[in-house]
Amino acid sequence: MRLNKLTQYITATAALFILSETVQAQKKQEPLLITEQGSFAVGGTVKTEAGRFEVNDALNPQGQTFHGDHAYVFYQVPVKARKYPLVFLHGAGQSKKTWETTADGREGFQNIFLRRKFPVYLIDQPRRGEAGKSMVEASVKPTADEQFWFTQFRLGNYPDYFTNVQFPKDSIALEQFYRQMTPNTGAFDAVVVTAAVSSLFDKIGAGILVTHSQGGGPGWLTAIKTNKVKAVVAYEPYSGFVFPEGELPAPVKSSGLFGELKGSTIPLSEFKKLTQIPIVIYYGDNIAKEPTTIWNKDHWRSGLEMARLWAATINKHGGDATVVHLPEAGIMGNTHFPFSDLNNLQVADELSKWLKQKGLDK
Amino acid sequence: MRLNKLTQYITATAALFILSETVQAQKKQEPLLITEQGSFAVGGTVKTEAGRFEVNDALNPQGQTFHGDHAYVFYQVPVKARKYPLVFLHGAGQSKKTWETTADGREGFQNIFLRRKFPVYLIDQPRRGEAGKSMVEASVKPTADEQFWFTQFRLGNYPDYFTNVQFPKDSIALEQFYRQMTPNTGAFDAVVVTAAVSSLFDKIGAGILVTHSQGGGPGWLTAIKTNKVKAVVAYEPYSGFVFPEGELPAPVKSSGLFGELKGSTIPLSEFKKLTQIPIVIYYGDNIAKEPTTIWNKDHWRSGLEMARLWAATINKHGGDATVVHLPEAGIMGNTHFPFSDLNNLQVADELSKWLKQKGLDK
């Protein structure tokens, strides 16, 4: 027992030393050279109450407006920028924070890809974060559910971390992880998100859309809605897979807590637009290979299976969709958030390689 | 009449030319050199539901946690940074967006003071923006009230702009202005905000706190709570003025829509902490000099009067508080948002001058 403790101590000390080296290496990085940075609202709608606004009855809504359902965008353009910006759309319960500093204080994809000379646009989708003005009403309740998310997002099966997990096992990082979630100020609506993200591309021109999780669905719809999307990169999409009418696969059964996974259909003419651009989808580790009753591993198994059916359908119609299960590419231990995991530089390298292959990093 | 139109046309053209020159000048600016940038949650509390979390009953709140009431912070440190960072706290209905790009696309105080070599920390206060997880429940409703805010924030008396207003009179800027508001996801609570902002100073060390409007109250309380606040700069505070017990002035009457303005009391020992640091308060233009029934001008008259009573009390106790009514310093036309108005470089110069005077820009 004592020897065991000693071994643990030595391992922990070594790990700390390695971590400290990594942090040192990051600290010594060159400054970011930013030619332009800023923020704006984009898209959205407006309602106007009947009647006429009277300045002496100004708390009466008559004749007044409410602007909502826009996205908020923060962007940075590095010196000697590449041609296509990366436009990042977060997942459920997240904001643009998801792409910024990691839970343990390392650089996220925002900084990593700025250093790699891409203009970077970070979105708070409509009804989330700093884009909180929603056209529909919502109730926000403090619901104790974080151990569910720990498990659903595949840090492990709470309270146990997966043994190979690429997430730091200290309480400070976990607290940051929990606090980076932020609630809806109106129900999630893929059509509303798609409208705002499309408006962003209409404003900034051609670019590469990078989505996470629930952002996947609006991601495909945005690529259909505007030809300014030159490629889609999706990390762990789950819902929102669209198939041509008549080609919808059977639902994928799952013991995941959201039940079986269904696709939906769109006209073939719309679907064909997805065959005009390269698409890559990444999934992390600790996803079941076969059906299992371990619900988190099985939830993401159904997502991965549906993604493969979807990519096959794209490719059958002449498109270029690739599904990468990261462990099969030798990248182990990733959670639902590969872009902020401990090995996120390796995950970024994998993306850089793909962008280069597709000629998207000019 | 025709000659009048021609004059208007020539004036407008000249104005456009000048505006265009200003934008050009901004575009030609040097790149920002950033040694470090990132984001994190700070402060906040946690509740834990009774019972024990069971991974196979993971949607049951038993034994699960909820972390909330933290602030979200985005920070940037420029190359060759000055000693004290500027920490920016927004006002009611706003987020950190308030300090970023202006409604008409110019640089806000974020970029202006990065260029002036200050580390810049931008806060989303607890229960706002990307710090949306609130320990208390809230209902978020799309309420048509923007013409009220136009008037309350002194762009003019809707639909008329004040003739000298430092706000662009085009519909695109006004739309951006409306969309930069974002709702509470839990009721505003000065104590909760103060706790999170104090935690930020405890984390980053000594700095200068810059507040806007409703942020003023938590601003004073933060300076009382932690001696890391080396100065407070407040733009248009209204509520939250704290006086020593026994020295509370009579409420300031006002025809403003929030009625008369009251201060509140704290123990003298607490109040004395505010006499240990330099404090400056700025108010913009189109604020009444005498009581009037024009409610927006009178609302801010009461704020300005209370600020003067407050500063006099600070100074009577040996402190260093200054109230600057910008028009009296020759800076005309400012709204409730001087830091993003058309003349925000001039407003920034005024602040730089004060920081220099107080030895805060080393």
Side-chain angles (χ1 to χ4, degrees), chain B residues 129-147:
Chain B
E130 295 175 20
K133 284 179 89 172
S134 161
M135 301 307 287
V136 297
E137 197 171 332
S139 168
V140 183
K141 289 180 191 173
T143 305
D145 58 6
E146 293 166 343
Q147 285 64 32

Side-chain angles (χ1 to χ4, degrees), chain A residues 46-327:
Chain A
V46 57
K47 71 168 183 183
T48 307
E49 296 290 336
R52 184 190 150 97
F53 174 75
E54 299 289 347
V55 79
N56 287 321
D57 188 17
L59 296 179
N60 186 330
Q62 62 185 8
Q64 298 206 54
T65 57
F66 179 86
H67 288 73
D69 284 0
H70 46 269
Y72 162 87
V73 180
F74 181 73
Y75 72 97
Q76 293 179 291
V77 181
V79 168
K80 293 184 189 162
R82 296 179 198 267
K83 182 178 175 189
Y84 293 130
L86 296 176
V87 176
F88 290 93
L89 176 61
H90 58 76
Q94 301 285 318
S95 70
K96 72 171 177 49
K97 172 77 181 84
T98 215
W99 311 104
E100 297 171 358
T101 305
T102 67
D104 58 327
R106 290 169 299 105
E107 293 197 330
F109 268 26
Q110 177 188 34
N111 286 12
I112 290 170
F113 282 95
L114 281 170
R115 293 192 186 285
R116 294 181 186 189
K117 298 295 183 190
F118 288 89
V120 167
Y121 288 73
L122 303 184
I123 297 171
D124 276 356
Q125 75 185 17
R127 310 178 182 178
R128 190 77 56 79
E130 295 175 19
K133 282 179 91 171
S134 160
M135 301 308 287
V136 297
E137 198 171 332
S139 167
V140 182
K141 290 181 191 173
T143 305
D145 58 6
E146 292 166 344
Q147 285 64 32
F148 161 71
W149 292 115
F150 177 106
T151 309
Q152 172 75 3
F153 290 156
R154 302 198 323 281
L155 277 56
N157 292 318
Y158 192 87
D160 301 318
Y161 288 89
F162 291 130
T163 48
N164 70 352
V165 73
Q166 295 279 3
F167 192 90
K169 294 175 185 170
D170 63 278
S171 62
I172 294 171
L174 190 57
E175 183 177 337
Q176 285 288 321
F177 184 72
Y178 290 152
R179 292 189 188 280
Q180 84 178 41
M181 295 193 80
T182 199
N184 279 326
T185 53
F188 172 77
D189 184 328
V191 173
V192 167
V193 175
T194 300
V197 178
S198 300
S199 295
L200 173 59
F201 278 93
D202 290 342
K203 178 184 166 74
I204 68 174
I208 298 156
L209 180 55
V210 184
T211 66
H212 178 222
S213 196
Q214 192 181 55
W220 321 131
L221 299 180
T222 302
I224 290 169
K225 199 174 167 85
T226 168
N227 63 8
K228 303 282 194 335
V229 176
K230 294 303 173 195
V232 180
V233 179
Y235 287 95
E236 298 226 341
Y238 171 73
S239 55
F241 290 103
V242 286
F243 292 84
E245 282 156 4
E247 300 184 45
L248 187 66
V252 181
K253 306 280 183 213
S254 172
S255 68
L257 299 191
F258 298 106
E260 65 181 18
L261 178 54
K262 292 177 186 172
S264 62
T265 59
I266 54 173
L268 179 61
S269 59
E270 297 282 287
F271 182 83
K272 289 280 251 180
K273 293 181 187 166
L274 295 170
T275 67
Q276 304 304 304
I277 54 169
I279 293 173
V280 66
I281 306 181
Y282 296 103
Y283 287 89
D285 204 347
N286 296 301
I287 293 174
K289 286 195 165 53
E290 302 293 333
T292 168
T293 56
I294 302 173
W295 58 262
N296 52 349
K297 292 189 174 190
D298 210 54
H299 173 87
W300 297 106
R301 177 194 58 77
S302 67
L304 176 52
E305 276 192 32
M306 185 60 88
R308 283 178 169 147
L309 291 168
W310 185 77
T313 310
I314 296 268
N315 294 339
K316 191 182 80 180
H317 285 277
D320 173 15
T322 310
V323 176
V324 179
H325 189 197
L326 290 171

